[in-house]
Amino acid sequence: MDAIGWTWAQISPWISSIAAPTFKDHRFSDEIDKLAGYKTKSILCMPIQNCDGEIIGVAQAINKNPAGVPFTDDDEKVLQMYLPFCGISISNAKLFAASRKEYDRSRALLEVVNDLFEEQIELEKVVRKIMQRALTLLQCERCSVLLLEDIESPVVKFSKTFELMSPLCCADSETSMEKLSCSDWLVNNSIAELVASTGLPVNISDAYQDPRFDTEADQMSGFHIRSVLCVPIWNSNHQIIGVAQILNRLDRKTFDDADQRLFEAFVIFCGLGINNTIMYNQVKKSWAKQSVALDLLSYHATCSKVEVDRLKAAKLPAVSELGIDSFHFSDFSLDNDGMITASLRMFLELGMVQKFKVDYEVLCRWLLTVRKNYRAVPYHNWRHAFNVAQCMFVMITTADFQEILSDIEILALMVGCLCHDLDHRGTNNAFQAKSGSALAQLYGTSATMEHHHFNHAVMILQSEGHNIFANLSSKDYSNLMQLLKQAILSTDLTLYFEQRTKFFEYVMSGELNWCLEKHREMLRSMLMTACDLGAVTKPWQISRQVAELVTSEFFEQGDRERVELKLTPAAIFDRNRKDELPGLQLEWIDGICKPLFEALAKLNGKVQPLVNGINSNRAKWEELYTMYRRSHGAADAANCTLKIEAIN
């Protein structure tokens, strides 16, 4: 019709015929003829109807041959007889296309169900499959799934968000998924919150005309949103657990009612899949908790009353007699009971008992139980915990960090040192993850053991007669527990590497401000790490003996990796490569230990003896490394690779 300049409004349900010349008929427009260079002389135009008599189109014949002859009544009758068949064919074609589309959609929904119930172990995998299917099924540019933090809470807050962009969109657009920050992705958070709170779907055909849409966020993201379809995700109990959202049809049309119905049906299955996955993870976590709890109960117990009474009545040696005020103190000079009395002396010397009204008997019981909750592993045992606490004691007193730290920070650091490796199993975080242990399932793969150490410390504090913080105010108690958690978690070297660059920059520029909590937290973390690594600063005989204990524990883990996990252990865990220890120690000192102690010494000159100790020990390891190179060749020595996660 456009080819001859007609509009739909000009077509009547009856036969329209224009005899030559057409330009004399007021219903005809010759604008298209002028553009196309075509001369329309006569037109026969008739409606195409379906079986219900509804007009579904128009058929027209132009310029009857021979040229200039008008269409006759017979022509009209012929066309009128032909058009019902044309209407039937068009209707059938439309029905077939619609049924084919419904078949494809039904098949896609069945594939979604199959996908979801095949993969119900990891939430991220389930949601990613959901989004991939949504992008394909509804032919849109982006899809997001936002899960509620607490489905019982009246306040809408999302705990997990997932986003996926269509590959077709990425290929055609300069804005790729990598260019969009996490905050930019969630430009429709307000819409998602509305859907989650009301339980009603939202279908926005023109986002920039809708007051609920944040146009500023859209412009900042660099991704232009035209239309939005957002629906709630329900679980089997008809509770909203999140929302699903799709943006921009690829064909640039708006989402219609059919799209909304399909998306809502699709999301029903998604809700079931997500709910089942969450339930599976909850069951798995409950099993892990039970497994860890049973393991603890079978291995640990609190100390006896006899032990407490004996320690309470014991006379404590002075600090000078014990030698615990020296940077070069040797923890090997004390037995297990001697380390308990020395720990008591440190708490008394720091005034913790008096300042926080700590019951002396409770303190004795707590120390004995903490000792009992360290396992008999070669290195990460009670002796190591005491050694770390003694190093912190020297940092606070001899190096005068007590001038910066508050009393409650000092208490948290001392308790954190003694508890920072509670229930250590002699294996690192990487081993927990690779073996799929109950601890890894319970705490995740990030700082697994450190979270376990803290939770174990809390368990001891909550045991009857063990709460050394009982007389603190509720505010101080809450603050102290936060400080204690930070102290223990900071012994994870991953966190140390995240913070140390900034800390070193502050030290070099002199920008540390002790009025800022983030600077104080950074200092506490660095002190915890330094004390955890303190053995590297001790006199050579002590330092080497500790290195051998660490190596022994690592070799035991390597043996387990080889036998239980069928893996080839890294060099530092492989007893068959024990001759490489000097090279690994040099990398350990240069890459991790020395920069930290040098920064602390620049911050506080009284820490310099620890730097001197490191330099002295490094020279000894250099001698051994030189001997190793001579006997094994420089090429082999160069292959020593330090695995930083090994010490975690």
Side-chain angles (χ1 to χ4, degrees):
M1 288 181 52
D2 287 341
I4 60 168
W6 287 77
T7 65
W8 179 261
Q10 293 172 302
I11 301 299
S12 73
W14 309 107
I15 300 169
S16 294
S17 177
I18 301 178
T22 56
F23 64 86
K24 292 184 177 181
D25 194 293
H26 70 278
R27 295 170 296 176
F28 179 76
S29 172
D30 65 346
E31 290 181 6
I32 302 299
D33 274 14
K34 292 176 180 177
L35 292 173
Y38 184 83
K39 182 66 174 176
T40 302
K41 298 177 180 178
S42 59
I43 300 173
L44 175 59
C45 187
M46 301 181 70
I48 302 173
Q49 298 175 321
N50 61 15
C51 58
D52 296 321
E54 299 171 331
I55 295 176
I56 60 173
V58 174
Q60 62 183 11
I62 302 174
N63 292 354
K64 179 178 173 68
N65 287 324
V69 178
F71 291 102
T72 65
D73 292 342
D74 290 337
D75 294 330
E76 292 181 7
K77 291 178 182 178
V78 171
L79 187 59
Q80 194 170 19
M81 293 176 61
Y82 168 79
L83 290 184
F85 299 103
C86 183
I88 292 171
S89 299
I90 292 173
S91 296
N92 287 346
K94 285 184 175 180
L95 286 171
F96 177 80
S99 63
R100 179 69 188 182
K101 190 174 183 179
E102 287 302 315
Y103 170 80
D104 290 339
R105 290 184 170 187
S106 298
R107 182 174 179 178
L109 285 175
L110 289 174
E111 289 173 347
V112 167
V113 175
N114 182 63
D115 282 349
L116 295 178
F117 291 96
E118 267 187 355
E119 177 62 71
Q120 294 188 41
I121 297 176
E122 291 185 35
L123 182 64
E124 188 171 348
K125 287 185 178 180
V126 170
V127 175
R128 184 158 290 277
K129 281 193 173 185
I130 288 171
M131 293 191 296
Q132 287 172 341
R133 286 290 183 189
L135 290 175
T136 304
L137 188 62
L138 290 143
Q139 290 294 290
C140 53
E141 294 183 0
R142 265 172 57 188
C143 177
S144 63
V145 172
L146 299 87
L147 300 182
L148 288 172
E149 182 177 4
D150 183 3
I151 62 175
E152 301 291 348
S153 174
V155 179
V156 174
K157 186 177 180 181
F158 298 110
S159 61
K160 294 183 184 296
T161 57
F162 305 88
E163 295 278 351
L164 190 65
M165 181 181 282
S166 168
L168 297 174
C169 178
C170 288
D172 297 334
S173 172
E174 293 182 0
T175 305
S176 66
M177 194 155 29
E178 290 75 20
K179 291 184 180 180
L180 296 169
S181 68
C182 183
S183 59
D184 290 335
W185 273 98
L186 301 177
V187 292
N188 292 307
N189 229 4
S190 58
I191 297 172
E193 289 171 357
L194 176 65
V195 172
S197 60
T198 63
L200 300 174
V202 169
N203 189 347
I204 299 175
S205 57
D206 188 347
Y208 275 65
Q209 298 302 316
D210 195 290
R212 296 166 295 182
F213 185 78
D214 187 356
T215 56
E216 283 189 16
D218 187 47
Q219 291 162 359
M220 288 173 61
S221 72
F223 182 93
H224 181 70
I225 295 176
R226 300 184 302 275
S227 54
V228 180
L229 178 56
C230 187
V231 301
I233 303 173
W234 306 84
N235 64 12
S236 55
N237 297 323
H238 203 65
Q239 294 172 300
I240 295 176
I241 60 174
V243 297
Q245 183 174 260
I246 51 176
L247 307 173
N248 297 359
R249 277 179 44 163
L250 288 171
D251 59 7
R252 305 187 72 81
K253 294 180 181 179
T254 60
F255 296 108
D256 55 27
D257 291 340
D259 291 326
Q260 183 170 326
R261 289 194 300 272
L262 177 62
F263 194 41
E264 288 175 334
F266 171 81
V267 168
I268 290 173
F269 297 111
C270 297
L272 292 173
I274 291 171
N275 189 55
N276 289 348
T277 305
I278 291 173
M279 289 178 62
Y280 174 84
N281 288 332
Q282 288 173 343
V283 170
K284 188 170 71 170
K285 194 167 186 177
S286 296
W287 173 85
K289 284 183 178 179
Q290 182 184 25
S291 178
V292 172
L294 289 172
D295 187 41
L296 293 176
L297 289 172
S298 65
Y299 189 88
H300 299 301
T302 57
C303 61
S304 67
K305 187 178 184 304
V306 174
E307 289 179 296
V308 176
D309 291 341
R310 186 168 60 243
L311 178 59
K312 184 180 176 183
K315 183 180 179 181
L316 301 182
V319 168
S320 57
E321 186 179 347
L322 291 166
I324 55 176
D325 56 347
S326 169
F327 282 118
H328 302 311
F329 169 78
S330 172
D331 56 286
F332 296 112
S333 64
L334 300 175
D335 59 15
N336 276 345
D337 289 338
M339 288 185 284
I340 288 287
T341 56
S343 298
L344 270 174
R345 172 51 67 191
M346 288 189 290
F347 274 87
L348 291 169
E349 192 70 18
L350 291 168
M352 298 294 102
V353 175
Q354 302 89 329
K355 291 172 184 175
F356 296 101
K357 298 181 176 61
V358 179
D359 186 289
Y360 190 70
E361 182 176 329
V362 172
L363 180 59
C364 292
R365 185 180 296 109
W366 175 79
L367 277 170
L368 289 166
T369 298
V370 166
R371 180 181 70 179
K372 198 171 186 67
N373 280 262
Y374 275 93
R375 299 196 180 201
V377 294
Y379 176 66
H380 289 98
N381 49 36
W382 162 246
R383 181 171 294 279
H384 167 65
F386 168 76
N387 190 44
V388 174
Q390 185 275 331
C391 188
M392 182 64 74
F393 177 75
V394 176
M395 286 285 199
I396 293 168
T397 56
T398 306
D400 289 338
F401 274 105
Q402 60 189 352
E403 294 179 0
I404 298 173
L405 301 168
S406 66
D407 290 337
I408 201 166
E409 287 176 311
I410 291 172
L411 179 59
L413 290 172
M414 290 300 298
V415 172
C417 288
L418 289 171
C419 296
H420 83 283
D421 273 332
L422 275 169
D423 194 49
H424 201 291
R425 281 85 187 288
T427 51
N428 63 2
N429 288 335
F431 182 86
Q432 305 304 322
K434 287 185 286 190
S435 63
S437 69
L439 286 173
Q441 294 180 43
L442 178 58
Y443 298 112
T445 56
S446 177
T448 302
M449 294 306 300
E450 287 73 26
H451 279 99
H452 178 57
H453 303 324
F454 170 71
N455 286 343
H456 200 85
V458 174
M459 184 189 74
I460 293 174
L461 286 167
Q462 291 177 343
S463 300
E464 186 177 358
H466 288 78
N467 191 359
I468 59 175
F469 307 144
N471 292 321
L472 272 68
S473 67
S474 58
K475 181 180 179 180
D476 285 345
Y477 186 90
S478 176
N479 186 26
L480 180 58
M481 293 306 294
Q482 286 296 320
L483 293 171
L484 178 60
K485 184 174 184 179
Q486 290 171 3
I488 293 176
L489 294 186
S490 66
T491 58
D492 175 19
L493 280 184
T494 302
L495 183 61
Y496 163 66
F497 277 102
E498 289 175 0
Q499 292 188 334
R500 75 171 194 170
T501 301
K502 184 62 69 176
F503 178 73
F504 294 166
E505 289 175 359
Y506 284 150
V507 170
M508 294 301 293
S509 63
E511 294 179 2
L512 282 168
N513 182 354
W514 304 129
C515 293
L516 298 177
E517 172 54 27
K518 65 178 182 180
H519 287 191
R520 299 181 71 87
E521 181 181 344
M522 198 179 295
L523 173 63
R524 294 193 301 268
S525 296
M526 294 300 130
L527 287 175
M528 284 295 298
T529 302
C531 293
D532 198 16
L533 307 177
V536 77
T537 70
K538 301 286 186 178
W540 171 245
Q541 291 303 324
I542 302 172
S543 184
R544 180 165 185 176
Q545 189 174 351
V546 172
E548 289 171 353
L549 290 173
V550 175
T551 303
S552 174
E553 188 172 290
F554 285 174
F555 286 167
E556 289 182 12
Q557 175 177 318
D559 294 342
R560 291 185 62 184
E561 289 181 358
R562 184 177 281 108
V563 174
E564 297 174 17
L565 307 181
K566 310 302 180 186
L567 298 174
T568 301
I572 201 167
F573 296 105
D574 194 344
R575 66 175 67 253
N576 297 326
R577 301 171 67 178
K578 60 184 179 182
D579 291 343
E580 297 179 18
L581 177 61
L584 295 173
Q585 281 294 320
L586 286 174
E587 292 187 23
W588 170 247
I589 290 171
D590 292 340
I592 298 174
C593 305
K594 192 175 178 182
L596 173 58
F597 285 99
E598 287 178 340
L600 289 173
K602 183 171 181 58
L603 181 66
N604 182 345
K606 293 184 178 181
V607 179
Q608 187 60 38
L610 299 180
V611 178
N612 297 339
I614 287 182
N615 290 334
S616 177
N617 290 330
R618 192 194 183 286
K620 295 287 187 181
W621 288 115
E622 181 72 41
E623 291 177 18
L624 294 175
Y625 181 59
T626 301
M627 293 172 58
Y628 172 78
R629 294 185 63 181
R630 288 172 182 167
S631 58
H632 291 78
D636 290 338
N639 289 328
C640 294
T641 303
L642 178 62
K643 302 296 182 182
I644 291 171
E645 67 271 15
I647 309 301
N648 260 341

